[in-house]
Amino acid sequence: MSGWGSGYVTDVTYLTGYFRHQSPSLLSAACLLGSVERSLPAHDEPISYLELGCGRGFTSLLLAASNPSWTVTAIDFNPAHVATARAWATKARLDNIRILEADISTLAEDPAAAEVPEADFVSMHGVWSWVPPSVQDGIVRLLRQKVKAGGAVHVSYNALPAWGPALGMQRIVREGGKRLAARSDKQAAEGLKLVQELRGADAYQLVRSVWLKSLIERAAELPTSYLAHEYMNDFWAPCFHADVAKALAAAKLEWVASVNLAENFPELTVSPEQRAVLQRLDDPLLRELAKDMCLNRSLRHDVFVTADARRSPARSVADTEHLAKRIAERSGNARRKC
Ligand SMILES: C[S@@+](CC[C@H](N)C(=O)[O-])C[C@H]1O[C@@H](n2cnc3c(N)ncnc32)[C@H](O)[C@@H]1O
C-alpha cells in the first residue's frame, strides 16, 4: 500500500463493472417509492451526473455513452483508475464525460472543485464504509456544495447488524495478510488462507453463521484484486443506516428509500408478524433499523434527496402496502388483457 491513500488500497486496481443501482432511472424509481416526486429522467434531458470514487469508471462511461445529452463527471484519486477510464472515454469518442483525478477528502476546499458541476444525481458505490472518517467528512462537504436543489444521492455501504458476524473474519484477513511483505492482493489471499484454516479447525466465530460460511466460500472464488479492495483497507467499517443518515444530514440530505426496490415493500420482504411491529414505527430511521434486524442486508443501497425535495411525509408501511397491492392488481389486469 502506498503512502498517499490514507489507508485505502492503491497498489492494485479495482475490477471493472456496471452497477445498475447507480443509474438515475433506478434512483428516480426509488424516490417515487419514497414519496418524492420525480419524473424518470429522459435520455435527452440535460442531466448532470457525478460519481465519487468511480474506480475505472465503467458505470459512468456507460451512462455517458447511452445518454449523450447528460454531462457526466467521474472522480477517483487512483491515477491508474483514472488513466484507464480516460483511455476508454477517448476510444469510445465520448465528449460528455470528464474524469478527474482528485482526493475527495479535500476536494471541497480545492480550487479544482470549480471543475465539478453541480449535479442532479450523485453516486458512490463501494466507497463509504471502505474509507476513513476524514474521507467521509470530505464527501459530506462536497455534497453540500455540489448537489443541486431537488437532487438525489446514491450511497452503498456494508451495513450493520448484518456484517456483525463477519467482523472477526475481515480482521483476520487483514491482519494475517499484512504480515506478508507483498502487494495487497497477495496479502488478501494470504489472510483468507488463515481464515480458511481456522474455519477448517471449527473456530467458533467462523462457523456460527450460515451467511458467514457462504461469504468465506464465495471469497475463495473471487479475484484477489477484489478481495484486496474489500478487506485490506485500514479503515473499513460497516455502518448502521442511522449513522450514515446522520452524517449525510450535515449536507442537508434526507434518506428516502432503498435502491433495491423490493426492499421498500415490507409485504415482499418481512413476515406479517414483523410487519405488524414495523407498522407502529412512524420514524423512518427507526423503521429501517428494525427492518435491518429482520433482514440480512449486508450491502445497503440507499437514496437520499436534498431536504427541499421532500414535499410530503415519508411513506408509511401502510401506504407502501397499499401501493404494492395496486401494482399487483394492475399487473394482474395487464396479464389478463394479454
Ligand atoms: C471499491 S472501489 C469502487 C469503485 C467503483 N465505484 C466501482 O464500484 O467499481 C472504491 C474506489 O474509491 C476510490 N477512493 C478511495 N478513497 C478515495 C479518495 N480519498 N478520493 C477519491 N477516490 C477514492 C478508490 O480508488 C476506488 O476506486
Side-chain angles (χ1 to χ4, degrees):
M1 203 177 292
S2 68
W4 54 266
S6 309
Y8 190 90
V9 164
T10 52
D11 57 349
V12 178
T13 54
Y14 193 58
L15 310 186
T16 304
Y18 172 78
F19 301 100
R20 66 190 174 86
H21 296 95
Q22 300 187 266
S23 144
S25 306
L26 212 51
L27 300 186
S28 298
C31 284
L32 285 170
L33 289 176
S35 302
V36 171
E37 293 293 324
R38 178 173 278 285
S39 51
L40 294 180
H43 73 97
D44 55 355
E45 258 181 83
I47 279 171
S48 170
Y49 181 89
L50 172 62
E51 183 178 5
L52 305 179
C54 65
R56 297 157 108 191
F58 204 67
T59 298
S60 280
L61 287 161
L62 268 190
L63 289 175
S66 41
N67 300 282
S69 66
W70 295 7
T71 303
V72 176
T73 309
I75 300 175
D76 203 282
F77 75 164
N78 188 326
H81 288 163
V82 170
T84 306
R86 283 183 180 157
W88 284 338
T90 306
K91 205 164 178 189
R93 300 205 193 113
L94 297 179
D95 58 9
N96 60 334
I97 183 165
R98 290 200 63 196
I99 298 137
L100 302 178
E101 183 186 319
D103 187 329
I104 45 181
S105 64
T106 50
L107 183 57
E109 293 74 36
D110 193 308
E115 293 176 46
V116 180
E118 287 188 3
D120 301 288
F121 294 93
V122 181
S123 177
M124 295 166 267
H125 179 45
V127 179
W128 187 264
S129 48
W130 290 264
V131 294
S134 59
V135 180
Q136 293 174 346
D137 292 347
I139 289 172
V140 172
R141 294 195 303 277
L142 195 62
L143 293 176
R144 183 81 187 93
Q145 284 178 13
K146 298 297 177 185
V147 184
K148 280 190 195 172
V153 175
H154 160 251
V155 53
S156 74
Y157 52 97
N158 281 159
L160 288 171
W163 255 94
L167 287 173
M169 175 255 188
Q170 185 272 347
R171 196 59 188 245
I172 286 278
V173 173
R174 189 154 67 81
E175 296 293 337
K178 290 250 175 211
R179 302 297 189 272
L180 192 71
R183 241 177 26 204
S184 51
D185 53 342
K186 295 193 173 143
Q187 290 181 337
E190 182 71 11
L192 185 62
K193 243 194 269 166
L194 182 54
V195 166
Q196 284 159 336
E197 253 182 273
L198 283 168
R199 206 183 118 227
D202 272 345
Y204 173 71
Q205 296 293 350
L206 296 173
V207 295
R208 70 187 170 115
S209 145
V210 177
W211 172 73
L212 178 55
K213 184 172 172 266
S214 79
L215 186 76
I216 296 170
E217 280 164 7
R218 268 185 288 132
E221 287 156 21
L222 290 165
T224 51
S225 54
Y226 172 84
L227 297 180
H229 282 262
E230 186 72 0
Y231 293 113
M232 296 308 293
N233 296 307
D234 288 346
F235 291 91
W236 173 85
C239 329
F240 280 104
H241 165 259
D243 292 335
V244 178
K246 193 172 164 202
L248 294 190
K252 297 198 178 164
L253 292 165
E254 291 181 1
W255 179 78
V256 180
S258 169
V259 189
N260 280 320
L261 300 185
E263 288 176 4
N264 299 301
F265 295 94
E267 205 172 40
L268 302 177
T269 47
V270 297
S271 70
E273 295 75 17
Q274 293 165 348
R275 235 160 52 223
V277 180
L278 295 180
Q279 224 146 22
R280 288 207 322 268
L281 308 174
D282 280 338
D283 176 348
L285 298 190
L286 181 58
R287 197 160 67 224
E288 278 307 292
L289 176 58
K291 219 198 266 181
D292 275 335
M293 296 301 295
C294 301
L295 304 173
N296 196 29
R297 286 198 270 194
S298 55
L299 178 69
R300 282 192 62 120
H301 283 279
D302 287 332
V303 62
F304 290 75
V305 293
T306 56
D308 58 325
R310 185 185 283 295
R311 292 195 203 104
S312 48
R315 199 185 287 286
S316 68
V317 173
D319 288 343
T320 309
E321 290 185 355
H322 179 64
L323 187 65
K325 239 176 239 152
R326 277 181 46 207
I327 290 172
E329 277 164 18
R330 278 200 196 171
S331 61
N333 287 343
R335 267 201 301 276
R336 276 194 291 281
K337 276 185 196 142
C338 294

